[in-house]
Amino acid sequence: MAKPIMIMGCSSDAGKSFLVTALCRHFANRGVRVAPFKAQNMSNNAAVTPDGLEIGRAQYLQAIAARTLPQVTMNPVLLKPSADTYSQVIVLGKFDPEITALPWLDGRERLWPIVRTALQNILGNYDQVVIEGAGSPAEINLRASDIVNVTVALECNADVYLVADIDRGGAFAHLLGTWSCLEAAEQALIKGFILNKFRGDSSLLGNAMDWLQAKTGIPTVAIIPMLPHTLPEEDTLHHRALFDEQQINIALIVYPYASNLDEFDPLIHESAVNVVPVREFTQLEKYHAVILPGSKNTVESLQYIRQIGLAAEISRAAACGIPILGICGGLQMLGKYIHDPYHLEGGNRIGLGLLDVETTLMPQKITTQRKVTVMGDSMGEVEGYEIHHGDTQAGTDVKPHLDNNLGWQQGNIWGVYLHGIMENTAYRQHFLARLGWQGQSRDWHASIENQLNSIAKVISQSGWLK
């Protein structure tokens, strides 16, 4: 087995996930049995493995890039924020209420043995492992609780590469400062610096790399250009857009704790379709459709849109005949009532009342991949996944939209539990055509495959790894 490669960053959003993804496809294209690993992720963008367990969306994509089966040992700990000071802790793919309730420093003692076992499992089953750190290893206040950065690197004696986002500015100071915050044994693991998101004339870098190497003894091994792509984001919706009268406009309601927003990428990247993130009160009567996404805290998200007047605006749009689609938590909000007998999300709430359904939040979370039939259409089956606590019961005013009690329709209102439904080409085509779109939907999964190969070429062309 080759030595593990680990990508650490000077900050969040430096490009760690992107580089690990590119490296996984780089090695896979060379016939290497490669796998990703991230000990701990914090994100409400989650995926479901084939065996029904939760991992971070980024690690799921990295496994696809590696052409291997996504599995929970690739991301043994996942933190899902559901309040300003509270995150649900997912351990080996399942919610762990005991560790969630512990102070974080106490939780570290329980989590590190689990992480170490998962790491050894991955190392023992693949020829090459590409590891992703989290945030920055220079966050001194978090060193005592670290289970994802230097602790992992030291455990497996990884070849570490430290990456900085040069587009932000200050990259050389950031690299030097981060390196300086590490202990001598940790510094010894760093084999190279990487400048990511570079654009412009490389001659402007001058002798800065030589200066940095003189200070640290570490070479700059790669300069990765700014690459436009449509690969899913790890945990943040970076997409921005304003209403455009020349396009099909879809309002995406981005309330607090909105989750799995990457599932709308197939809509965002369709030509002549304009998905507008809505985070504050906005009049919706000009939009062609409104989407309510999932939420890690449905009750809190519902309360937020009521407080800012957006709930009333959604109801007004519905009364005007504008198509409204709710997915998972969004479906629950569209219903008449959310019952919370176990106080999972702060108590009972009256819903928007646009769908004749009622939801009870249950302690046992459902996580599974699904293939279901679209009712009343000629589309046949669609694929996706479930992640939810809700048990939803339908009244007499709705009709089934998906079978197996996974979706309902009431006039111009639709609600589904199936995440990833827009990745289905025929469903997306039908949805957009209903709004008056004249385009032709492309195969989203084929597009992702093409982009994975494209970013892998950048690694090959950089000369960084022979």
Side-chain angles (χ1 to χ4, degrees):
M1 192 195 89
K3 284 189 69 176
I5 292 172
M6 185 166 187
I7 304 297
M8 292 188 187
C10 292
S11 65
S12 296
D13 206 32
K16 298 184 293 293
S17 296
F18 173 84
L19 288 174
V20 171
T21 303
L23 284 167
C24 283
R25 180 49 60 95
H26 167 83
F27 286 116
N29 282 346
R30 281 152 180 76
V32 177
R33 294 174 62 254
V34 58
F37 181 82
K38 184 166 184 174
Q40 172 191 299
N41 204 342
M42 177 178 280
S43 175
N44 275 332
N45 285 355
V48 176
T49 62
D51 53 351
L53 300 170
E54 279 190 82
I55 63 172
R57 169 60 61 179
Q59 283 62 63
Y60 192 94
L61 177 65
Q62 288 161 0
I64 299 302
R67 296 198 177 96
T68 192
L69 194 68
Q71 52 190 286
V72 73
T73 47
M74 296 171 179
N75 177 211
V77 181
L78 175 62
L79 309 181
K80 304 185 75 173
S82 53
D84 288 345
T85 59
Y86 175 85
S87 289
Q88 189 180 84
V89 183
I90 309 297
V91 181
L92 294 177
K94 295 183 178 181
F95 169 53
D96 190 315
E98 291 186 11
I99 293 181
T100 297
L102 290 174
W104 185 242
L105 287 178
D106 294 340
R108 193 265 185 204
E109 300 303 317
R110 297 271 296 272
L111 290 172
W112 172 241
I114 295 169
V115 167
R116 182 169 52 196
T117 299
L119 174 62
Q120 294 303 327
N121 177 280
I122 291 290
L123 292 172
N125 284 288
Y126 290 89
D127 299 325
Q128 178 69 69
V129 176
V130 186
I131 304 170
E132 180 183 341
S136 166
E139 294 171 359
I140 304 304
N141 56 308
L142 300 178
R143 292 295 294 270
S145 60
D146 175 52
I147 59 170
V148 63
N149 284 312
V150 294
T151 306
V152 171
L154 290 166
E155 174 69 22
C156 63
N157 192 32
D159 284 345
V160 176
Y161 295 90
L162 186 62
V163 57
D165 176 358
I166 196 170
D167 190 55
R168 292 183 179 182
F172 294 102
H174 217 168
L175 288 165
L176 177 60
T178 302
W179 175 85
S180 298
C181 289
L182 302 179
E183 301 293 335
E186 299 159 359
Q187 291 175 345
L189 295 176
I190 298 181
K191 306 305 178 186
F193 295 134
I194 300 171
L195 298 173
N196 192 30
K197 306 182 188 179
F198 179 78
R199 50 180 147 195
D201 184 355
S202 60
S203 67
L204 295 176
L205 294 173
N207 66 347
M209 285 85 78
D210 295 334
W211 173 88
L212 185 61
Q213 186 168 358
K215 295 282 188 182
T216 63
I218 297 171
T220 299
V221 297
I223 300 172
I224 306 298
M226 178 72 78
L227 295 173
H229 65 84
T230 60
L231 296 172
E233 300 288 351
E234 180 179 27
D235 58 1
T236 304
L237 181 67
H238 291 292
H239 173 71
R240 291 177 173 83
L242 299 174
F243 187 93
D244 183 350
E245 292 184 355
Q246 305 303 311
Q247 301 192 71
I248 296 294
N249 291 279
I250 300 172
L252 176 61
I253 310 302
V254 185
Y255 24 66
Y257 315 113
S259 62
N260 294 73
L261 294 175
D262 61 296
E263 68 179 300
F264 304 109
D265 287 353
L267 287 174
I268 289 172
H269 297 292
E270 288 284 20
S271 62
V273 175
N274 186 39
V275 178
V276 181
V278 174
R279 293 181 168 86
E280 55 191 25
F281 177 81
T282 302
Q283 292 184 335
L284 301 173
E285 73 273 4
K286 291 185 179 180
Y287 284 87
H288 294 85
V290 177
I291 295 178
L292 281 68
S295 173
K296 192 61 196 69
N297 189 328
T298 303
V299 166
E300 186 67 27
S301 296
L302 177 60
Q303 182 70 11
Y304 174 81
I305 62 173
R306 279 211 167 99
Q307 287 174 347
I308 66 171
L310 197 52
E313 188 63 23
I314 293 168
S315 296
R316 190 166 77 88
C320 293
I322 296 171
I324 312 290
L325 171 65
I327 298 180
C328 199
L331 153 67
Q332 296 169 358
M333 293 183 211
L334 290 173
K336 289 183 173 181
Y337 211 85
I338 300 174
H339 304 275
D340 188 13
Y342 301 95
H343 297 282
L344 300 177
E345 296 187 4
N348 302 331
R349 288 291 187 278
I350 297 173
L352 298 179
L354 300 177
L355 273 179
D356 184 18
V357 300
E358 295 191 13
T359 298
T360 301
L361 301 180
M362 306 298 290
Q364 183 63 41
K365 183 189 290 189
I366 296 173
T367 56
T368 184
Q369 294 187 352
R370 281 284 200 168
K371 182 181 289 187
V372 297
T373 300
V374 181
M375 309 297 287
D377 286 298
S378 58
M379 283 178 286
E381 290 185 324
V382 290
E383 295 182 355
Y385 57 99
E386 293 180 69
I387 303 180
H388 61 92
H389 283 280
D391 175 29
T392 297
Q393 299 298 317
T396 57
D397 291 338
V398 295
K399 62 180 182 180
H401 178 54
L402 303 179
D403 68 355
N404 291 317
N405 290 321
L406 288 180
W408 298 271
Q409 178 186 357
Q410 187 172 338
N412 58 312
I413 314 298
W414 288 263
V416 301
Y417 267 121
L418 195 70
H419 288 287
I421 196 168
M422 289 299 171
E423 296 178 14
N424 292 270
T425 305
Y427 190 93
R428 189 168 72 257
Q429 179 77 45
H430 190 81
F431 174 81
L432 291 171
R434 187 186 295 121
L435 309 183
W437 187 62
Q438 301 297 313
Q440 183 65 45
S441 287
R442 55 181 175 161
D443 186 321
W444 180 248
H445 297 289
S447 175
I448 293 294
E449 274 296 305
N450 290 336
Q451 290 189 69
L452 291 173
N453 287 326
S454 178
I455 66 173
K457 284 183 181 178
V458 176
I459 300 297
S460 303
Q461 293 167 355
S462 72
W464 163 27
L465 296 172
K466 305 300 183 183

